Amino acid sequence: MKKFIVTLVAMMAVTFSFAETNSSKVDRRFDVSCNMDRLAEVLALDEDQTDAVEAIHNSFNTELQSLASVRGPLQRHLVHQAVRKDASKMKNVLNEKQFGLYMRIMLNTLRNRHL
């Protein structure tokens, strides 16, 4: 009887973890959060820029996660708009070299996540 209960619990745990993975897969795709310390190091940001970039990136990440529930061509259009808005805000904070590197990182991230 004990083996049966242990087997049942193990089977339910695997089933629930599999079901959770499928349902949260869409949400993870839209999560573009990153290590801000590493980003600041790569972009050579000063303290003021780091704070501003972190705030802008957090709002961008929140906006993208809200688009996870939208489907079809509208989703692609809204993602494009969110990226353009993020880029225009970042352009005000970063210099030309930093902005170019940031956009390369961001666009590669979005491409890798199939957005």
Side-chain angles (χ1 to χ4, degrees), residues 29-93:
R29 195 177 112 196
F30 286 86
D31 181 20
V32 292
S33 59
C34 65
N35 183 345
M36 280 297 151
D37 294 330
R38 181 72 179 124
L39 184 63
E41 182 183 324
V42 169
L43 296 177
L45 301 176
D46 61 24
E47 284 187 38
D48 294 332
Q49 286 178 319
T50 302
D51 293 339
V53 166
E54 186 172 6
I56 294 168
H57 188 71
N58 287 340
S59 70
F60 174 66
N61 193 22
T62 303
E63 187 174 353
L64 269 187
Q65 286 182 354
S66 70
L67 297 177
S69 60
V70 180
R71 296 283 180 243
L74 179 62
Q75 182 184 57
R76 186 174 176 91
H77 175 70
L78 293 174
V79 168
H80 182 72
Q81 281 184 336
V83 170
R84 288 181 60 121
K85 186 165 60 170
D86 177 61
S88 68
K89 289 178 183 177
M90 287 292 187
K91 193 159 183 71
N92 294 331
V93 174

Side-chain angles (χ1 to χ4, degrees), residues 1 3 5 8 14 16 18 24 28 38-39 42 46 48 55-56 70 78 82 87 95 97-99 115:
M1 184 71 173
K3 284 184 178 181
I5 293 174
L8 181 65
V14 170
F16 289 139
F18 178 73
S24 63
R28 278 191 232 141
R38 181 72 179 124
L39 184 63
V42 169
D46 61 24
D48 294 332
I56 294 168
V70 180
L78 293 174
N95 65 32
K97 183 179 177 184
Q98 291 169 328
F99 179 72
L115 295 175

